[in-house]
Amino acid sequence: MIDVYVGDETSPLRAVILGTAKGVGDAPKMEDAYDPKSKEHIAAGTYPKEEPMRAEMEAFAKVLEKYDVKVYRPEIIENYNQIFSRDIGFVIENKFIKPRILKDRKEEIQGIQYVVDQIPNVVNVPEHARIEGGDVMPWKDHIFVGYSEKEDFEKYVVARTNRAGLEFLQKEFPNKKVKGFQLNKSDEVAKDNALHLDCCFQPVGENQAIIYKEGFKLQEDYEYLQEYFGEENLIHISRDEMYNMFSNVFSISPKVVVVEKNFERLAKILEERGFTVERVPYAEISKMEGLLRCSTLPLIRDKN
């Protein structure tokens, strides 16, 4: 049995599912791609290959193991992308939430079913609700959720969480303040697309956050976070940095943050603020509009 618990984004990590690039197969056809960054790299002939992505993920796994984290990996489904485990399930408090996601990805959960079977408290998201784990951030007394209202949700393939998903979380966790943030979306221009909330925002440490202001559709949503964390505790990133996934780092503890090795400006800021920064190569994986947080599904973090 696995007694899951996750109360926030940064408490010391004890167990995690890390996706896998094994068996990922060849580049998809353009019509089968479902985010603008992947389309960009398919068109340019620079879509990532399996071997370098496997090497990147093994480097990440080694860092996790260095900090005594128990790392589970998916069972391999051949010719299927199983890198981004964040979206196919997530833990809040002692519940494993099994969301409804893009139909193109519905088989992915089979790879981690052996883990889910060991978890006593599994909650299925209802049929009409859509949520992906990249949009969901438990943070102390809050759950921050990126979502799209009906007009955007029906318009964009990259809109992955709807109002019904937000309301499901509000009902499931009545003791939390579930706060929704509408995100800017684009199916064609990656630099204008906040695919998930963790593509434009993520808490680090005890009370700080990385943020891209223009990722938020409404100024008031950005201002809510600005007020909540305090301007002095925000690390602002640019449009290009958002595109390169600067906010998609991963916290092993309040003091240890894993970042992509080319994120020099961010790494320097974090180190100046007292963090231990672990650098891993993840540039190939980032071509699919996902990075470190996207490829992890935390199962157990320490309770505060």
Side-chain angles (χ1 to χ4, degrees), residues 51-298:
E51 202 171 311
M53 289 196 293
R54 281 173 69 168
E56 289 181 345
M57 298 202 82
E58 294 322 303
F60 189 11
K62 280 193 174 68
V63 171
L64 293 164
E65 285 157 2
K66 171 181 161 182
Y67 288 91
D68 298 322
V69 177
K70 166 80 174 155
V71 180
Y72 295 89
R73 306 301 292 271
E75 292 172 336
I76 308 304
I77 304 168
E78 285 300 331
N79 296 309
Y80 210 74
N81 187 340
Q82 293 175 274
I83 290 169
F84 299 126
S85 55
R86 174 73 61 162
D87 297 326
I88 58 173
F90 53 91
V91 174
I92 299 178
E93 294 183 331
N94 65 345
K95 296 176 181 177
F96 182 95
I97 311 293
K98 201 170 164 183
R100 294 184 182 275
I101 63 171
L102 282 178
K103 64 181 188 302
D104 296 341
R105 298 182 62 183
K106 67 181 190 301
E107 308 301 323
E108 269 182 73
I109 193 79
Q110 292 175 15
I112 64 165
Q113 193 60 48
Y114 80 97
V115 180
V116 179
D117 288 343
Q118 298 176 63
I119 299 170
N121 198 355
V122 177
V123 178
N124 288 293
V125 171
E127 186 110 14
H128 63 291
R130 291 286 179 276
I131 312 176
E132 289 190 357
D135 276 324
V136 181
M137 289 187 188
W139 186 250
K140 304 175 183 181
D141 60 340
H142 275 66
I143 302 172
F144 300 130
V145 183
Y147 82 107
S148 297
E149 290 286 1
K150 189 168 189 271
E151 184 188 5
D152 280 358
F153 190 77
E154 290 176 354
K155 181 178 177 183
Y156 296 108
V157 175
V158 290
R160 303 291 173 78
T161 299
N162 62 7
R163 172 163 278 283
L166 177 69
E167 289 170 350
F168 160 77
L169 290 170
Q170 287 167 337
K171 191 174 161 198
E172 196 65 36
F173 299 97
N175 60 324
K176 298 274 191 188
K177 178 161 187 178
V178 180
K179 172 69 178 159
F181 303 96
Q182 292 186 62
L183 305 177
N184 280 319
K185 300 289 180 180
S186 172
D187 281 334
E188 302 307 326
V189 183
K191 288 186 180 182
D192 294 336
N193 179 46
L195 182 63
H196 292 122
L197 182 59
D198 62 15
C199 296
C200 62
F201 162 75
Q202 190 176 174
V204 289
E206 303 280 2
N207 62 343
Q208 300 181 59
I210 302 163
I211 196 161
Y212 174 61
K213 182 180 179 180
E214 283 74 22
F216 296 87
K217 187 170 182 177
L218 305 177
Q219 172 77 8
E220 68 207 52
D221 284 353
Y222 164 75
E223 286 171 358
Y224 183 93
L225 292 167
Q226 186 183 35
E227 193 173 320
Y228 180 88
F229 285 91
E231 178 62 34
E232 70 282 4
N233 291 317
L234 295 179
I235 300 168
H236 291 274
I237 60 174
S238 68
R239 183 172 181 247
D240 283 350
E241 288 172 337
M242 186 279 294
Y243 169 80
N244 286 316
M245 312 293 295
F246 268 49
S247 64
N248 208 271
V249 299
F250 185 70
S251 292
I252 294 177
S253 77
K255 288 282 178 211
V256 181
V257 184
V258 188
V259 307
E260 209 286 324
K261 71 180 179 68
N262 296 304
F263 294 175
E264 273 309 317
R265 189 183 83 85
L266 178 64
K268 188 167 179 284
I269 292 169
L270 290 169
E271 285 172 343
E272 283 168 357
R273 294 188 181 204
F275 291 93
T276 297
V277 175
E278 292 284 356
R279 294 163 169 81
V280 296
Y282 237 61
E284 290 301 302
I285 285 167
S286 80
K287 293 174 179 179
M288 295 187 292
E289 209 152 346
L291 207 74
L292 297 154
R293 186 180 188 270
C294 295
S295 52
T296 58
L297 196 172

